[in-house]
Amino acid sequence: MSVQELLLLLYIFVLATFSGFELISKVPPNLHTPLMSGSNAISGITIVGALICSGAALHVSSELGKYIALLAVVMATINVIGGYLVTDRMLKMFKKKK
């Protein structure tokens, strides 16, 4: 991987992080949980993307690429599991108490 490619990927990562933070910070707290739970199935796509990246990283001799790909898979999995836990907690709030 050349330095230019690495800088381009780093630029995209920083831009995506900044954009995501700005979008989430503009959502009111009372809408955040329903929106997050509603888009939780779509978040599974991040795992697919991370797995594709990790598969591509296996063909690269760079150890850094392999660690970044592993980190991407772990963080995408945490995102999806956390979304399901929040959804479950939110749905329990609406159940009738016995």
Side-chain angles (χ1 to χ4, degrees):
M1 180 178 288
S2 70
V3 175
Q4 289 179 337
E5 291 173 338
L6 184 62
L7 286 176
L8 178 65
L9 292 175
L10 184 63
Y11 174 74
I12 292 170
F13 176 74
V14 169
L15 188 62
T17 302
F18 179 73
S19 300
F21 178 77
E22 285 298 312
L23 287 172
I24 294 299
S25 66
K26 303 293 186 225
V27 175
N30 56 347
L31 289 178
H32 185 265
T33 301
L35 288 174
M36 188 175 72
S37 64
S39 65
N40 198 27
I42 297 171
S43 294
I45 295 171
T46 58
I47 292 180
V48 174
L51 288 172
I52 290 171
C53 289
S54 65
L58 292 177
H59 300 294
V60 179
S61 61
S62 170
E63 289 294 318
L64 178 63
K66 293 175 185 175
Y67 290 126
I68 291 174
L70 176 65
L71 181 66
V73 171
V74 169
M75 292 183 77
T77 304
I78 289 171
N79 181 33
V80 171
I81 291 173
Y84 279 113
L85 290 175
V86 168
T87 302
D88 185 52
R89 183 176 176 189
M90 185 181 72
L91 290 175
K92 285 181 182 177
M93 291 171 38
F94 294 105
K95 287 185 180 177
K96 292 182 180 179
K97 295 186 170 126
K98 295 181 181 181

